Amino acid sequence: MRGGLIIATVLVLTTGVFAEQRFAVPTEFDSGYTKPTTQHPDPRASMMQYVDLGVLIATLGLASFLTLKFRRRWAIFTLMIFCLVYFGFVRGGCVCPIGAIQNVAMAIFLGDYTLPLVVLAIFVIPLVFTLLLGRAFCGAVCPLGAVQDVFLLRPLRVPGWLDQALGLLAYIYLAAAVLLAATGSALIICRYDPFVSLFRLLPLGKWIEALTRGGTVPGGIASITISIHLLVLLGVLVVICMFVGRAYCRFLCPYGAILRICSRLSLKRVTITPEECIKCRLCEDACHFGAIRQPTQTHGGHDRTRGKGLLAGMVLLAGALTFAAGWGASLLTPYLARTNAQVRLAEQIWREQNALAARSDDINDPGEVFRRTDTPIARLYDDAEDIKRRFLIGSWIAGGFIGLVIGGRLVRLSVRRRREDYEADRGSCLACGRCFAKCPMEQARRKGRSVSLTTGEDE
Amino acid sequence: MNNTQITPKGSPRRDWRLACVAVACVTGAVSLTLIAAMAVNYLRLRDADPLASPKLAGMKEALYEHPADEQLKDDIRRLDLRLRKAHLRLRTRLATGGLLLGSILIVLVVSIRAAEILGRKPPHPNHPHNDPKRDDRIAGASRWSLIALTAAIGCGAAAWAMLSEPSGDTLLPAHVNGQKPEPDYPTPEEVRKNWPRFRGPGGAGVSAYANIPVSWNVETGENILWKTPVPLGGMNSPVAWGNRVFLAGAKKRRREVYCFDAETGRLLWTRRVQPAGSKDDPENVDRDTGLSAPTCSTDGKRLYAIFPNGDLASFDFSGKEIWSRNLGVPDNIYGYATSLLTWRGRLIVQSDQGTPDDALSVLLILDAATGKTLRTIRRAVAGSWTTPAVFSIGGAERLVTVGDPWVITYDPADGRETWRARLMGPDVAPSPIYSAGLVFTVTAEAKLSAIRPGGTGDVTDSHVAWSATEDLPGICSPVSDGTLLYTLTSEGGVLTCYEAATGKRIWSKEYENLGFHSSPSLAGGRLYLFSRDGTAIVLESARRYKELARMKMGEGIHTSPAFLDGRMFVRGVKNLFCISGGKK
């Protein structure tokens, strides 16, 4: 019940933001003016959501086939463009496993929230595909990734150490998004998704819908709403993505952070060449995402002893970091809790009651809205306290998770692996197919020829 | 492999690449132009919200007063339609621009990609590294970068928590019954000891200090603690708090706020005021009013300043701008001159404009900390130049405003009107005062009125204790020591003394050849007058006229003085004077 109240409050307060942009009902006079009948466009047919789901499954299956079996970059690229058009411009970026993270978090932590099965499927299916067949979703299906690929003009190589550090941001974003969704505070992934602005610039879905009904776009062209702030954010991101391959996917995407973990456990994955690697480094040159790992060097006995000591130290540090980050995040609870509208409202009312802030009679002011509902203030305070308690627990978990990720990375960096050939990193590889498209062994395999392991020339 | 260009001169591949580059350049330039045009359009759209049109709101307000006015209804319909059309036109333009931009961006991206592909060189990877320490080095650098980022995030989070004030824990409901934090506004005692607004505490023009010199000499420096030039002129009076004195000044395209050291007269800082939407050189500003007539106000932590073009800004005492906004240019025939008022964390802006039928006049109650409008109270009065005041009357605080034709009081806590009296005439400039249990209002075109506060609704016929109609001031506000009331006419220079409680005229004194803009002030039982030509007159506040001193300031005085302990601050046409008996 309480969870429902929180969601309702968030929705009511959020809709107020949009309500400001709408026109008031025209003042009526005794002039014979008759108000036009309100048009109610039909809701989108419920069947269409299963069509979306079908398209998602089909494209994921096709993408997996293209990366693992057919192994043609042009085919992957073509599929990527189709997904960009369909999931991006036609569906407005709304068939979105990234945003579905929040719905799942709400379903788990907010008792009254019912998760639609379609949304659950949209969240789970790419994860299952990744666990089985690698990150085909990122490589060819995700419209956000496709936008970045389209704008990638002059890729620069991000140093390995910086790549490791920036990759942490995605986990922090994931932890923050889950914490805020689980407390019913905000859906930040959707709110700050810059790519949606781009998709709204060309709302193909609306046009198709209007054409199939034989009419014009409802509300005319002026009904298209574009957030200027998100457009600016999009512009900045596009400029970054011109030089840094898939910057959002690698350093920010919260779903990518989950997929990275799943991909490490996947049964099958992209291989650069099924044949023997000739170490020509063309795959490393072709990959713009820093996902190709070089063959390792051999180490002496002394180094191995030192390495073990370092590893032990990092394991201990990881444990300490997990606790410290959880504790540190818990200290931020009072400030994080202010992201919740209910907590902000309680604080506002309390400040007004204690003459620390002036009251407003603006009907859009949350305090005034609350007063008009005649809800007991004690109930508001109780709800706010409850949310703050949830934030306290959530902050410990979110902080601990971030600490664990940092610690895990430190441990992983201290583990020495043996690699004989150039390989795509299981976690970082986005299954775009650039590496095998450039691999001479792969080219030769397709043509049924062999390549010299010493010169790289056809034999 | 080699590193030679695969697009030799004259080859079709090279020609295609050049064509792609040309297309990219053209579409890039068009995109930039389009983005700039859309940005301008967006800013215009933001200002063209039909729901926020003050003109439409004013007309609707007027319709409440005249519900049968068919012409007004037609005007509202027409204006409403025009505003909506304009708004939709701008939105359509923005959306069309978005579509156009999207299409051009596609061409731009495709042409750049094509140019890049056509000009691509064959890959030439370096030989593999054989450094056995390479992996360890990269792993070590990665570990350090992770630790550095972790530390940076930790520091960022700590800084965020420290900058978020107050701590969220103090606001937990569990603390409601605990210790109450200090309010964000000064105590009455602090206000009494300082000079936070036009004519000081309560707008009464009465100093809490008696140790102000009776005489001084600007030429010899006797009792002149300091004298500092003011960069830009203005008709606003000084306000003072602690060891700071504040003024505002303006010229056609520049509006500034000044902070002086009250001890030395040193100009500590100057800040320009130019919020978004600010317009230079507002029309209809009379030369006598000037471009900076409203006096600043302070609550001891922040300074607030307003200008006739509607620019409003807040600064802390170090000169850092807290917020600023433009309220729109008031429709005022001589130029806006009403001073600001702070009360319990709120900033009160009285903006009386046009005629009563225009319904443009408003009283704005803003959150002093943020500048956000908390209440907008519409007033059916014409343009005025008076400054409101909050008086504690019978245990309740009342905000008293004076306009044409109404004296209206409000509860400052919620903006609710308490009572009103129709006592004023056109061109109201003198501000109200409260003394001897009466509210005094005056204007040259009507009368001097003493109103018994109280009642509800229109109290014109029931609550006027006494009134007078001779020698009425048009600009200077009255002053009272609780027993005697003084008025001073601007033209002719007639100072009149009344018995405050009864309205009995006790004496009057005409200062030949002197005119006054500065309102009379009281300190230590003495009246301080400053004429337009710079003559300062000090006299006893008594039932008999007794002049104590007469001095020349050396420059014209149009403003009212401010007082602190042992010091009087007077703004001349060019300089700010500090008159003090303690130092020379």
Side-chain angles (χ1 to χ4, degrees), chain A residues 62-72 76 132-134 136 268-271 431 436 445:
Chain A
L62 185 58
S64 301
F65 170 76
L66 295 178
T67 50
L68 298 176
K69 290 286 176 195
F70 192 61
R71 293 168 66 84
R72 300 288 192 277
I76 296 170
L132 297 174
L133 305 167
K268 290 198 175 285
R269 60 194 171 98
V270 171
T271 52
F436 56 66
R445 185 185 68 81

Side-chain angles (χ1 to χ4, degrees), chain B residues 500-523:
Chain B
T502 62
K504 182 183 170 189
R505 186 173 170 131
I506 298 173
W507 55 259
S508 70
K509 166 72 178 174
E510 183 176 355
Y511 297 106
E512 287 181 12
N513 303 320
L514 292 183
F516 294 86
H517 284 161
S518 169
S519 297
S521 305
L522 268 167

Side-chain angles (χ1 to χ4, degrees), chain A residues 23 29 149 151 161 165 172 201 221-222 228 281 294-295 310 338 350 358-361 385 388 416, chain B residues 42 77 84 91-92 95 99 109 113 126-127 134 136 143 145 149 153 166 168 171-172 176 346 374-375:
Chain A
F23 295 127
F29 305 103
D149 252 13
F151 281 104
W161 58 268
I172 295 172
L201 278 176
I221 200 170
I228 197 79
R281 304 190 73 193
Q294 298 176 352
L310 182 66
R338 286 186 184 166
W350 186 80
R359 269 174 62 168
S360 169
D361 64 354
E385 273 293 283
K388 284 193 172 185
R416 285 175 171 160
Chain B
Y42 174 77
R77 285 193 197 106
R84 283 168 195 271
R91 284 190 62 163
T92 306
L99 290 177
V109 169
R113 287 302 298 263
N126 297 322
H127 290 293
R134 186 203 61 200
D136 285 346
R143 279 193 295 268
S145 69
L149 184 69
I153 290 167
L171 295 174
L172 278 170
V176 169
R346 296 166 204 205
L374 300 173
R375 281 188 176 78

Side-chain angles (χ1 to χ4, degrees), chain B residues 296-512:
Chain B
C296 303
S297 181
T298 177
D299 53 18
K301 288 182 179 173
R302 295 176 286 261
L303 177 76
Y304 311 92
I306 192 168
F307 293 85
N309 69 343
D311 283 359
L312 177 62
S314 168
F315 300 88
D316 68 11
F317 276 23
S318 68
K320 182 185 166 198
E321 185 180 298
I322 309 291
W323 54 263
S324 65
R325 56 186 288 200
N326 181 275
L327 302 175
V329 181
D331 179 9
N332 194 301
I333 53 171
Y334 302 129
Y336 184 73
T338 299
S339 301
L340 294 170
L341 165 64
T342 55
W343 179 83
R344 293 192 179 220
R346 296 166 204 205
L347 180 66
I348 297 169
V349 183
Q350 181 181 325
S351 181
D352 291 346
Q353 311 173 46
T355 67
D357 288 340
D358 292 339
L360 293 173
S361 300
V362 288
L363 187 70
L364 300 174
I365 301 180
L366 313 182
D367 180 1
T370 63
K372 181 184 164 194
T373 301
L374 300 173
R375 281 188 176 78
T376 302
I377 302 160
R378 302 215 163 266
R379 291 158 52 76
V381 296
S384 77
W385 296 264
T386 65
T387 297
V390 174
F391 304 130
S392 184
I393 300 170
E397 290 188 292
R398 291 289 174 259
L399 172 66
V400 179
T401 63
V402 175
D404 169 20
W406 294 100
V407 177
I408 307 176
T409 63
Y410 305 90
D411 182 341
D414 57 15
R416 182 176 48 86
E417 182 178 321
T418 49
W419 55 261
R420 59 166 63 195
R422 195 184 184 100
L423 297 168
M424 311 309 289
D427 295 351
V428 194
S431 300
I433 63 165
Y434 177 67
S435 181
L438 297 168
V439 173
F440 294 99
T441 61
V442 63
T443 178
E445 301 296 325
K447 53 191 169 186
L448 167 65
S449 304
I451 312 164
R452 283 194 309 275
T456 53
D458 188 348
V459 299
T460 310
D461 297 330
S462 57
H463 281 68
V464 177
W466 59 265
S467 60
T469 53
E470 286 182 41
D471 296 326
L472 299 174
I475 292 175
C476 304
S477 304
V479 68
S480 170
D481 62 3
T483 307
L484 302 173
L485 174 80
Y486 301 92
T487 61
L488 179 64
T489 62
S490 300
E491 306 299 331
V494 178
L495 179 69
T496 308
C497 174
Y498 297 91
E499 201 169 69
T502 62
K504 182 183 170 189
R505 186 173 170 131
I506 298 173
W507 55 259
S508 70
K509 166 72 178 174
E510 183 176 355
Y511 297 106
E512 287 181 12

Side-chain angles (χ1 to χ4, degrees), chain A residues 73 76-85 89 138-140 142-155 195 198-199 202 234 237-247 249 288-289 432 434, chain B residues 102-117 120:
Chain A
R73 168 67 189 158
I76 296 170
F77 184 80
T78 307
L79 179 63
M80 186 185 81
I81 295 299
F82 167 78
C83 291
L84 171 63
V85 172
F89 293 104
C138 299
C142 178
L144 277 57
V147 170
Q148 296 169 77
D149 252 13
V150 166
F151 281 104
L152 181 60
L153 299 176
R154 195 162 281 277
F195 297 100
L198 181 70
F199 300 144
L202 294 171
L234 172 70
L237 205 55
V238 162
V239 170
I240 292 172
C241 289
M242 284 178 177
F243 305 102
V244 180
R246 297 250 188 154
C249 299
H288 302 318
F289 314 131
C432 65
R434 284 182 173 89
Chain B
S103 312
I104 292 172
L105 280 178
I106 289 172
V107 180
L108 175 67
V109 169
V110 169
S111 56
I112 291 178
R113 287 302 298 263
E116 190 262 332
I117 289 166
R120 199 176 278 173

Side-chain angles (χ1 to χ4, degrees), chain B residues 528-562:
Chain B
Y528 289 79
L529 315 180
F530 292 88
S531 75
R532 290 192 300 227
D533 72 351
T535 303
I537 300 167
V538 183
L539 61 140
E540 271 189 9
S541 170
R543 301 182 81 86
R544 195 165 55 86
Y545 180 82
K546 185 181 178 185
E547 189 169 311
L548 300 174
R550 190 178 285 223
M551 287 77 61
K552 287 285 181 191
M553 297 299 293
E555 59 188 84
I557 307 287
H558 299 275
T559 65
S560 302

